[in-house]
Amino acid sequence: MFKDKITAFLIHFAISAALMLIAGFITFYLWYAAPYFELFDVKPIFLMMLGIDLILGPLLTFIVYRKGKKTLKMDLAIIAAIQLAAFGWGMWNIANARPAWLAIYKDTAYAISPAFLKNPDNNLKVAVPSVFEQNWGKPKLVMLPNNDNTPNIIYHIDKFLPFDSRIAVINQLPLSQIATADKALFTMVKTNYPTAMGYFPVITEASSDLPLILIDKSGQPIVTVVAKNKVGIH
């Protein structure tokens, strides 16, 4: 009987591990590509999912499994339902809070999440994108017209334009502002990313730290670094 329990446990664990690997890839390498997974602090929700789906579920299977047991199918179905509910709840919250768009308006980028757009308490009065209109990949760089002064324009996804490197060259902030506020960060940028010519600060509601999208001389994004000190950088 113990051998049957171990086998059931390992099968359940393998299935759960495969599911969590897929979820981890989607969460940390797509929706919250570095450095956003740290800024948005999605680890607590993901760890909760990990605990329920990778540990609790297989452990419950080990406890209830007994070959020939009359209620075995029902027991396993209940365990699976608990796991799927936890997994669905976790992924739903992670998906809604993700920085789906990085909307550049003038010299600043803004991280826009589906949850913020849908929150009625924000009174944005903007068109909320359907599931099929949302960006389901890595945070997407888009732009807004510099001459449009519509209130809360950064949340009007109907005004989003494709990223334009020519406009990025015009709107970018000079690296000298980083040098003034954080010499250590400036030195790191110049050493590790010598082709960087300017940057866009990214405003998020999730963190007090400030992501900076580094731009090369042609206006193309190079990488996103994080500034711990906002003063003088934005």
Side-chain angles (χ1 to χ4, degrees):
M1 185 177 70
F2 186 77
K3 185 178 180 181
D4 291 338
K5 283 179 173 286
I6 289 294
T7 301
F9 171 86
L10 291 176
I11 291 173
H12 193 154
F13 182 86
I15 295 171
S16 297
L19 189 64
M20 291 308 299
L21 281 173
I22 294 171
F25 175 81
I26 292 172
T27 300
F28 297 111
Y29 292 96
L30 288 180
W31 294 347
Y32 295 86
Y36 296 101
F37 67 85
E38 291 183 352
L39 296 172
F40 281 73
D41 198 21
V42 294
K43 288 181 181 178
I45 293 181
F46 194 83
L47 288 175
M48 181 213 71
M49 291 166 53
L50 202 65
I52 294 174
D53 289 300
L54 199 59
I55 299 174
L56 182 60
L59 184 61
L60 288 175
T61 292
F62 177 83
I63 292 171
V64 305
Y65 191 87
R66 191 175 72 248
K67 205 169 185 179
K69 185 180 179 182
K70 290 183 179 179
T71 61
L72 183 59
K73 288 184 179 179
M74 178 62 73
D75 293 343
L76 295 178
I78 291 172
I79 293 170
I82 292 172
Q83 277 192 256
L84 289 174
F87 183 83
W89 178 86
M91 291 304 289
W92 183 84
N93 279 281
I94 289 172
N96 266 306
R98 74 190 189 283
W101 302 277
L102 303 177
I104 296 175
Y105 181 52
K106 298 182 179 179
D107 62 2
T108 305
Y110 300 84
I112 311 297
S113 69
F116 194 87
L117 294 177
K118 295 175 183 177
N119 190 342
D121 294 336
N122 293 327
N123 296 314
L124 293 176
K125 297 179 181 178
V126 297
V128 177
S130 71
V131 168
F132 301 103
E133 293 174 318
Q134 294 184 25
N135 166 43
W136 290 100
K138 292 185 177 182
K140 184 177 181 180
L141 267 177
V142 294
M143 286 186 154
L144 288 155
N146 284 347
N147 58 356
D148 192 328
N149 296 314
T150 302
N152 293 319
I153 186 175
I154 59 173
Y155 302 114
H156 286 262
I157 64 162
D158 56 313
K159 293 179 179 288
F160 285 179
L161 301 171
F163 177 80
D164 190 327
S165 59
R166 295 169 301 175
I167 298 177
V169 169
I170 297 170
N171 290 355
Q172 66 183 336
L173 293 174
L175 291 182
S176 58
Q177 285 194 214
I178 300 178
T180 302
D182 191 332
K183 291 183 178 179
L185 178 61
F186 176 76
T187 300
M188 185 279 289
V189 168
K190 295 302 290 183
T191 301
N192 296 336
Y193 309 102
T195 58
M197 300 297 290
Y199 72 98
F200 288 99
V202 183
I203 306 301
T204 76
E205 285 115 15
S207 173
S208 59
D209 293 331
L210 185 68
L212 307 175
I213 302 172
L214 302 182
I215 303 294
D216 65 19
K217 65 179 181 180
S218 66
Q220 292 297 325
I222 302 170
V223 71
T224 300
V225 298
V226 177
K228 300 294 182 180
N229 177 15
K230 288 185 177 182
V231 179
I233 297 179
H234 175 253

